[in-house]
Amino acid sequence: MAATEMTNGLAGWLRAQEQKDLLRFVTIGSVDDGKSTLIGRLLHDAHGLYEDQLHAVRRASVRGSTRGEGSTSEIDFSLFTDGLQAEREQGITIDVAYRYFTTASRKFIIADTPGHVQYTRNMATGASTADAALILVDARLGVLPQTRRHAQIAALLGISHVVACVNKMDLVGFDRSVFDSIVSDLRAIGEKLGLRSLHAIPVSALAGDNVVTKSERTPWWPGTTLLEHLETLPVEDRARAGAFRLPVQLVLRPGIGYRGFAGQIVSGTVKAGDEVLVLPSGKSSRVTSVDVAGKSVDIAFAPMSVALRLADEIDISRGDVLVHAETPLTVATEVEADLVWMSERPLDRAKSYLLKHTTRTVRAEVSTVVYGTDAETLEPVAKSTLVLNDIARVHVRCRAPIFFDAYATQRATGAFILIDSVTNDTVAAGMITKALEGAAERGTSRSLVGDEERRARLGQSGAVLRAVAGSLAAAFELGYALERALFDGRRIATVVDEARDASDAAEACARGGLFAIVAGVGADGESVEVNGRVLRASSREELVQRVLAAIT
């Protein structure tokens, strides 16, 4: 072939690829349901693998022993996605593995996520950007608790299409009644969760039945193969079709005369001449230029990264959001949200966390757990705190306003994460449902030290011990005896008189070596009295430093 023909051929191929739409999907379900094997089989039979990948997995399959008992395949298909050494040793998926492949009609990005309950947070991460979810169910075991939990997370994340792959049908003799029973259970779950669409397919990932090739062993199945179904699922580009939202990440000032506000458009479109509103200032201006990679363009849309130049010199910084004036965001300091708790440390409602929402980070507390969800029945249950993998409806109180859409309307501006400010661990993922009315009028001041942090520092859990006796003297004797015993047991305690007021109790704590802070109202501005000495300063930060110097 001549060089020109080769160039035209390559250019034509690239143009064809650009015109294909993209489907992102995630595999979810319980451990050992065969998620990695299904993806490996799909990639293999759809010719979505390079030769070197195929050879590498063939060699690893010979060396290893991770194939299922009785398998006659020379390839362990799970190795195409389980790349970590620990994954291959344990035969489970630990981290999210992304794979890309294309067919004649569509491009795909696959997120293979772990099924083990310990790695539910990784599953939620992989599902957060998916258009469709494949729920794997082992035909021998049916629907398991982890399958329900993953289905609930998929529903909370607003995934449009759920495809139930009833796997390992070869191990139940391709029995139609088994398939029908599992599909019935899944449909009941789907109705309870409000899944938008649920389609089921009987497959054998190991043998390849109904994955890419129609199986002759399921003559009772009139439907399509998994790949055919994935190729025809409608893709809804909600980001591009939604209202314009640009969270500002950076202010660009490369030289005199240029001031651009850079960030990724998370939804909608923008063009030069548009009137835009800046949140939180509420000031408006007109877009004079939309710059992409150093060049001005007529129009930009999600998910492009751009820099906007405006007609007016408005104070804008990271964390602000640019929107069209006719489609503003909701502004609130207290919101209702669905929360997936991802940390092994339970929720501490007395502690403030960092709430990261788009490019804005504010301090926030989970003020109320409205209800949790039972993983078995999917019914609401009463909860006062949250532990690893709990899913709950909560109220979140922020120290500063956030600007958002309801998650059901727009994922990017409706989602947030909570971060432990001490460990920097992400402890929860949240989806905002609505603003809470009247939140602005209520106070938001809370302790910056969580109960759990305080207990960890002191090395004790704390308790209220009320010593009661026939006389006050006898009660104090009992109290001091308890104090001695606790002190000898390396605990810190002090005795206070229940008949006295808070100041007396605080003084008793101070005599015991604790710092007791009494909050009160004064008419002369902020001050702190330390052992009878009144300290003042021009700012709160300076006042805190003066107090620290006075007590150390």
Side-chain angles (χ1 to χ4, degrees), residues 48 52 67 105 127 196-197 251 259 262 287 300 303 346 352 380 385 400 419 424 435 445 492 531:
D52 60 333
R67 277 170 289 179
S105 58
R196 297 184 181 183
S197 72
V251 179
R259 187 165 180 252
V287 177
S352 71
T385 188
I419 302 168
N424 280 329
S445 296
I492 299 173
N531 295 330

Side-chain angles (χ1 to χ4, degrees), residues 164-186:
C165 296
V166 181
N167 190 25
K168 305 186 184 182
M169 287 296 295
D170 53 320
L171 300 183
V172 296
F174 292 94
D175 187 337
R176 179 175 184 173
S177 64
V178 173
F179 174 75
D180 289 342
S181 175
I182 292 174
V183 172
S184 177
D185 291 343
L186 289 170

Side-chain angles (χ1 to χ4, degrees), residues 417-433:
I417 59 173
L418 291 181
I419 302 168
D420 188 311
S421 58
V422 176
T423 64
N424 280 329
D425 289 338
T426 299
V427 297
M431 286 68 70
I432 299 172
T433 57

Side-chain angles (χ1 to χ4, degrees), residues 84-138:
L84 300 176
Q85 183 177 355
E87 291 178 325
R88 296 188 174 189
E89 289 174 352
Q90 300 178 56
I92 64 172
T93 302
I94 295 175
D95 205 352
V96 183
Y98 292 94
R99 291 291 182 270
Y100 169 86
F101 77 105
T102 181
T103 64
S105 58
R106 174 168 277 179
K107 296 180 286 188
F108 298 92
I109 294 178
I110 314 168
D112 183 29
T113 66
H116 197 284
V117 66
Q118 179 183 352
Y119 303 114
T120 299
R121 59 182 295 162
N122 300 25
M123 173 267 156
T125 302
S128 61
T129 57
D131 304 303
L134 307 190
I135 294 186
L136 271 287
V137 180
D138 188 326

Side-chain angles (χ1 to χ4, degrees), residues 335-339 347 366 368-371 386 392-396:
V335 298
E336 182 181 82
D338 292 316
L339 208 64
L347 165 67
V366 177
T368 305
V369 178
V370 182
Y371 60 81
L386 302 176
R393 176 68 56 87
V394 301
H395 293 172
V396 181

Side-chain angles (χ1 to χ4, degrees), residues 3-192:
T4 304
E5 292 176 326
M6 291 181 63
T7 302
N8 291 337
L10 177 60
W13 183 84
L14 290 173
R15 282 195 298 274
Q17 297 304 307
E18 290 176 354
Q19 292 171 358
K20 292 180 183 176
D21 61 10
L22 172 68
L23 179 75
R24 297 173 181 267
F25 67 91
V26 61
T27 58
I28 60 179
S30 190
V31 67
D32 286 337
D33 279 347
K35 296 182 292 298
S36 299
T37 301
L38 178 69
I39 296 308
R41 168 62 76 174
L42 185 63
L43 292 170
H44 178 270
D45 290 5
H47 308 293
L49 296 166
Y50 296 109
E51 281 298 319
D52 60 333
Q53 292 175 311
L54 198 54
H55 290 318
V57 168
R58 278 201 176 108
R59 289 195 299 271
S61 300
V62 172
R63 290 197 304 270
S65 57
T66 56
R67 277 170 289 179
E69 189 176 347
S71 171
T72 57
S73 173
E74 65 172 340
I75 297 174
D76 182 346
F77 292 99
S78 69
L79 299 185
F80 288 118
T81 54
D82 290 345
L84 300 176
Q85 183 177 355
E87 291 178 325
R88 296 188 174 189
E89 289 174 352
Q90 300 178 56
I92 64 172
T93 302
I94 295 175
D95 205 352
V96 183
Y98 292 94
R99 291 291 182 270
Y100 169 86
F101 77 105
T102 181
T103 64
S105 58
R106 174 168 277 179
K107 296 180 286 188
F108 298 92
I109 294 178
I110 314 168
D112 183 29
T113 66
H116 197 284
V117 66
Q118 179 183 352
Y119 303 114
T120 299
R121 59 182 295 162
N122 300 25
M123 173 267 156
T125 302
S128 61
T129 57
D131 304 303
L134 307 190
I135 294 186
L136 271 287
V137 180
D138 188 326
R140 299 168 302 171
L141 306 177
V143 177
L144 299 174
Q146 187 69 342
T147 314
R148 296 189 187 90
R149 181 180 284 112
H150 282 190
Q152 186 181 11
I153 294 173
L156 290 176
L157 291 172
I159 294 178
S160 302
H161 308 285
V162 175
V163 183
C165 296
V166 181
N167 190 25
K168 305 186 184 182
M169 287 296 295
D170 53 320
L171 300 183
V172 296
F174 292 94
D175 187 337
R176 179 175 184 173
S177 64
V178 173
F179 174 75
D180 289 342
S181 175
I182 292 174
V183 172
S184 177
D185 291 343
L186 289 170
R187 294 204 182 283
I189 293 171
E191 290 178 6
K192 187 171 290 187

Side-chain angles (χ1 to χ4, degrees), residues 295-378:
K295 297 180 180 178
S296 293
V297 298
D298 295 333
I299 189 170
F301 47 82
M304 295 172 66
S305 293
V306 301
L308 298 189
R309 285 185 279 170
L310 304 182
D312 304 284
E313 288 289 333
I314 300 176
D315 182 16
I316 302 174
S317 58
R318 176 182 172 83
D320 292 353
V321 184
L322 302 181
V323 301
H324 286 150
E326 64 273 18
T327 53
L329 289 159
T330 302
V331 182
T333 56
E334 190 166 4
V335 298
E336 182 181 82
D338 292 316
L339 208 64
V340 180
W341 194 256
M342 298 175 164
S343 174
E344 294 185 354
R345 303 182 70 177
L347 165 67
D348 185 349
R349 287 168 51 197
K351 177 179 177 179
S352 71
Y353 295 90
L354 296 177
L355 183 148
K356 188 172 190 314
H357 172 255
T358 63
T359 58
R360 188 174 178 81
T361 302
V362 301
R363 279 204 170 270
E365 298 92 20
V366 177
S367 57
T368 305
V369 178
V370 182
Y371 60 81
T373 304
D374 188 299
E376 288 285 344
T377 65
L378 301 177

